[in-house]
Structure formats: structure tokens, C-alpha cells
Amino acid sequence: MTGDVLIVTTGVANLASIRAAFGRLGMSVRLGDDPGQVRDAERVVVPGVGSFGAAMARLEALGLVPVLRDRVAADLPTLAVCVGLQVLCASSDESPGVAGIGVVPGAVRRFGEGVRVPQFGWNRVQAPPDARFLQSGFAYFANSYRLQAAPADWLAATSEHGGPFVAALERGRVLACQFHPELSGNWGLSLLERWGRATARGGAGC
Amino acid sequence: MLTKRVIPCLDVRDGRVVKGVRFQGLRDAGDPAERAAAYEAQGADELVLLDVSATPQGRRTTLETVASVRAVLSIPLTVGGGVRDVEDAGRLLEAGADKVGVNTAAVADPDVLTRIAGRFGRQCAILALDAAGLPAGGWEVVTRSGTLRTGLDAVAWARRAADAGAGEILLTSWDRDGTRQGYDLALIAAIAGAVDVPIIASGGADSAPHMRDAFRAGADAVLAASIFHYGETTVGQVKAWLAAQGIEVRPE
């Protein structure tokens, strides 16, 4: 697969896994944090690292909050992973008082009592029937916080960990995963491949 | 619902996979990247790579080995052995690890876990807890590959480490490791009951029934090396048997 993927370097990331995954799919990967780069890139990945507050502080300092908000609003190919999904939301229990990018309505909450936190491991994902990218299967999660209810205007895949939660969201060419597709074996690679194919500039998916 | 995980462990020395009883009488079991790819294909849920030469000989985990494994692996990779501080963790994560196991250094200074969790996220900070039974009951923490008995109560240490930022505990029974007599179920139950973070049971696995017993005792994941390395059974066979026993595992 041809095409370019820009991974936003939020400063505290271990990006080796997601780089390796796109590499195995034959896609070229660049790293960057310049607002112009992020605005103009064919595809942008917001990786899942650190805490909500630390990630937002970094995105604010880099001037990337409006750029990412505009990308999602304009339906430019964007993939958010783990904390990357969470920072698209309005707020998180993890960092009270810190505003998220806010393109996904809803607050991110900590998992409730009675379940292992963090959620570490493979959970069953139930995809909506009309999803373009998401399919049902098993995905690898590593998270203590999650969006509980599907926000309006997004297609949501769900999982269960002490009750249902949002495993992933998609809308147009934007895909946001609470799980790590790059660590979810062949199932995860095929998800990245579907998103990559459908978001190729000038490709059939546009 | 979260499935129970089966995790092969590659003990690596000088870039080769080795495994022996208490790190004595090492036998060669192959190339790490080759083994890693084979285990993922069999249905392994994650992989743990331990640099068994690291602590005794003061070596650092081989970054090249980590990079070669990462290049072929699409499941999580935990690397442990000789991790002293956040800089060591950073190098391993950069080379391709997703999580880093800390043992001896965390006992000396629990803030190591806090620093790793603070910099890279709690999901990266794994406490490797080696425990040995005490004659009067209970377990004490051992470090430096079992050579140092710390006198530290294993349950209290697990709690403290989880509070300090450990996101998961790789719990090894030093009495059972390499013996193939089964996991220390009382130890698993004691630690799993004391903390909220997930427990990976390690030390003593010889069969799928041993793994079932560990899950029933409270483990979230099981680690095994020998039974997979020499082709006696595959990860897929073990998971199929566990599923038939009513334990939810990720199908291949």
C-alpha cells in the first residue's frame, strides 16, 4: 500500500510498535509535531501515550489542538489511538479541569469498582453492522479510563469491562480506537489496512 | 469481557533464547525473532522477553534483540532484566518494547516505578516480583536473580508497588521456577487479592491444567517457557484446552 502516514510526536511516546505495524503494511511513516505538517498530511495518527493532562498540555504547547479539531471536523484521514481517542473528548477523570479537544462529545471516566484497573489484555469488540472500518473481533487494551456511551454522530464499537464501554469510534475517514490496533495481531493489522486503503489520497475510498 | 492471557516467555542471553532450571544448565532454544513470530502465529496473547544475563553480569538487555522481535511482532512485548531507571526503560521502549519489567531496581527505590509510569504511562511500568516461600508461611521478595533475600513481605510489596505506579505485576514463584511442578497457587491468590492491577503468574508451569489452576487462583495471565520452547505443546493447543474448561481465552 502506498501513501504517507504522519505520526504526531507527543514527546513521551513509544512509537516503535505503531511504526512497525504501518511498515508491515507497506506504508511510509513520518514523525512530526509541526502544525503545518499535521494540517497538510495525507493521514495523521495521534498515538496513545501518557496521561490525558500530559497529552493535552503537549498538544496545546505545540499549537496542535485547533489543527486536530479542524482535521476531524473536515473529515481528513485521522487515526487516534488509546489516549488519542480520549483527548478528542471533552474531559477526563484522569486530569480534572483539563479541557480536551472536544470534537467528540462526552467525558472520559475511570473504570468502576470490581474490575481490574488498568484493563490489560484482549477484549471482545462488537462492531456496528454499518461500520466501514471496524469489525467484530478481539483487540488489545491497556487503559484505566474509557468513554461509557456512544456519542451522537459517531459509529461506536463496544466492549465490556464491568459494563459496556466504547472500544472504538468511526465517522467518515476518522477512526478512534480505545484499544491498540498495532498490538492486536492480524485483526488489528487488517483494521489499519482498511483505514489506510480507504484514506489514500485520490484513492477509491475518498 | 477481558479474556485470560497465555504468554510465552523468551529468556534471552547473548541474543539467543535459553531456559533452564533457575538459570542453571542453560539449553539453546533458538532465535528470539523466529520464536516470537511462531508464538504469535500459534495464538500467543503477548510475549515477555527476559534478559537473564542482565542482573548477574551487570549487562543491559540487548536492544538489538528487542528491535528484531518488534519488527515481526504485532502483539504486546514486555522486556525485563537489568532495568535500573527511566533511561533504561526509555531505551527499551524506543527499541520496540511496549512494557518494561523492573525488579531489583524497584525494590531499592520504588520511585523508579513512579518515574517510568509518569514519563511513559502506567501501562508501561511492570513490576517483576520474585517471591520465595518462608518456613513460617508467607513469602519474601528476592532480587538479583534470587541471590538476595530482601526480608520484604511479598504481599505488602505488591501493594506498595501498585500504589507507586506499577500497572501490572509479573509474579514469579522462585521456589517453582523451572521445576515444572505447577504455579504457586497460594502466592497467586494472596497477591491477586491484595491489588487491583492484573497479575501474570510465572514459575512452574508444565501443563494446561497448571494454567487453569492459576487462573482459578486469581491470575489474569500465565507465563510459560519450557513447555512451549521444545515443541511439547503449542500455545494454540493450550488455549483450546483452556476454552474447553470454560476459561475465556482469545481464539486463534
Side-chain angles (χ1 to χ4, degrees):
Chain A
M1 199 188 305
T2 57
D4 180 38
V5 177
L6 177 76
I7 300 179
V8 179
T9 46
T10 46
V12 289
N14 51 316
L15 302 173
S17 298
I18 195 142
R19 293 183 75 170
F22 280 114
R24 280 195 288 281
L25 293 171
M27 298 168 78
S28 60
V29 175
R30 289 182 299 143
L31 306 181
D33 60 12
D34 175 70
Q37 253 185 332
V38 173
R39 188 189 61 224
D40 297 335
E42 184 175 354
R43 302 183 190 88
V44 163
V45 175
V46 185
V49 287
S51 68
F52 183 92
M56 280 309 301
R58 183 80 180 157
L59 292 174
E60 296 271 9
L62 293 166
L64 289 175
V65 171
V67 177
L68 290 171
R69 185 182 291 134
D70 291 348
R71 276 197 74 96
V72 173
D75 192 29
L76 295 176
T78 306
L79 168 67
V81 176
C82 199
V83 175
L85 178 157
Q86 297 177 2
V87 296
L88 296 181
C89 300
S91 66
S92 170
D93 279 358
E94 186 174 19
S95 308
V98 176
I101 295 172
V103 284
V104 173
V108 178
R109 305 281 184 207
R110 196 169 201 274
F111 281 116
E113 299 292 311
V115 291
R116 292 272 188 220
V117 180
Q119 169 187 223
F120 257 136
W122 296 79
N123 206 329
R124 187 187 294 272
V125 172
Q126 192 68 46
D130 45 349
R132 181 185 190 185
F133 307 125
L134 294 165
Q135 293 181 359
S136 296
F138 286 85
Y140 182 82
F141 290 84
N143 62 308
S144 300
Y145 301 85
R146 86 297 192 213
L147 200 56
Q148 272 175 285
D153 302 330
W154 291 82
L155 281 175
T158 56
S159 294
E160 294 270 338
H161 190 55
F165 70 94
V166 172
L169 297 168
E170 66 164 78
R171 186 176 74 190
R173 298 183 294 180
V174 179
L175 175 64
C177 303
Q178 181 57 69
F179 53 80
H180 288 269
E182 76 280 15
L183 299 178
S184 295
N186 287 333
W187 181 88
L189 280 181
S190 69
L191 173 62
L192 293 177
E193 187 169 28
R194 283 191 297 279
W195 177 75
R197 279 190 194 287
T199 55
R201 192 166 276 164
C206 289
Chain B
M1 176 185 173
L2 212 52
T3 58
K4 300 292 186 183
R5 291 170 281 158
V6 177
I7 307 176
C9 177
L10 304 179
D11 288 2
V12 171
R13 191 183 65 173
D14 302 329
R16 299 291 290 177
V17 180
V18 295
K19 183 66 189 181
V21 177
R22 296 180 195 191
F23 307 151
Q24 306 299 307
L26 300 171
R27 289 198 280 166
D28 195 297
D31 172 64
E34 207 172 277
R35 296 306 316 162
Y39 287 139
E40 181 182 332
Q42 288 177 14
D45 295 307
E46 295 185 31
L47 205 71
V48 168
L49 193 155
L50 290 179
D51 184 352
V52 296
S53 62
T55 302
Q57 299 173 29
R59 290 213 196 105
R60 300 277 162 106
T61 304
T62 309
L63 297 173
E64 291 77 14
T65 301
V66 173
S68 72
V69 170
R70 175 80 278 154
V72 300
L73 202 68
S74 300
I75 56 175
L77 173 65
T78 298
V79 181
V83 176
R84 285 167 186 79
D85 210 331
V86 68
E87 289 78 20
D88 291 332
R91 278 189 283 274
L92 289 168
L93 294 170
E94 198 178 328
D98 301 296
K99 320 181 201 181
V100 172
V102 191
N103 182 347
T104 302
V107 174
D109 176 14
D111 286 348
V112 172
L113 293 166
T114 311
R115 286 195 292 274
I116 293 173
R119 173 93 62 97
F120 303 110
R122 195 174 178 186
Q123 79 288 344
C124 289
I126 310 304
L127 173 71
L129 197 172
D130 291 356
L134 292 166
W139 299 266
E140 71 174 319
V141 177
V142 299
T143 62
R144 302 205 69 80
S145 300
T147 58
L148 185 69
R149 305 238 155 195
T150 64
L152 202 57
D153 175 67
V155 174
W157 170 231
R159 277 202 197 97
R160 187 167 172 213
D163 288 343
E168 194 169 31
I169 296 176
L170 171 54
L171 176 65
T172 301
S173 163
W174 197 252
D175 306 312
R176 299 295 180 90
D177 193 44
T179 66
R180 309 185 69 159
Q181 294 167 358
Y183 298 97
D184 186 335
L185 302 179
L187 173 64
I188 293 167
I191 303 290
V195 295
D196 284 336
V197 300
I199 306 296
I200 304 169
S202 163
D206 189 42
S207 65
H210 286 157
M211 297 180 183
R212 173 199 57 197
D213 296 345
F215 289 132
R216 288 181 178 166
D220 300 281
V222 292
L223 192 83
S226 316
I227 70 167
F228 298 134
H229 290 340
Y230 300 107
E232 295 161 32
T233 185
T234 67
V235 179
Q237 287 167 343
V238 163
K239 288 176 79 173
W241 187 88
L242 291 169
Q245 294 281 308
I247 291 170
E248 197 175 357
V249 294
R250 177 179 67 109
E252 273 176 83

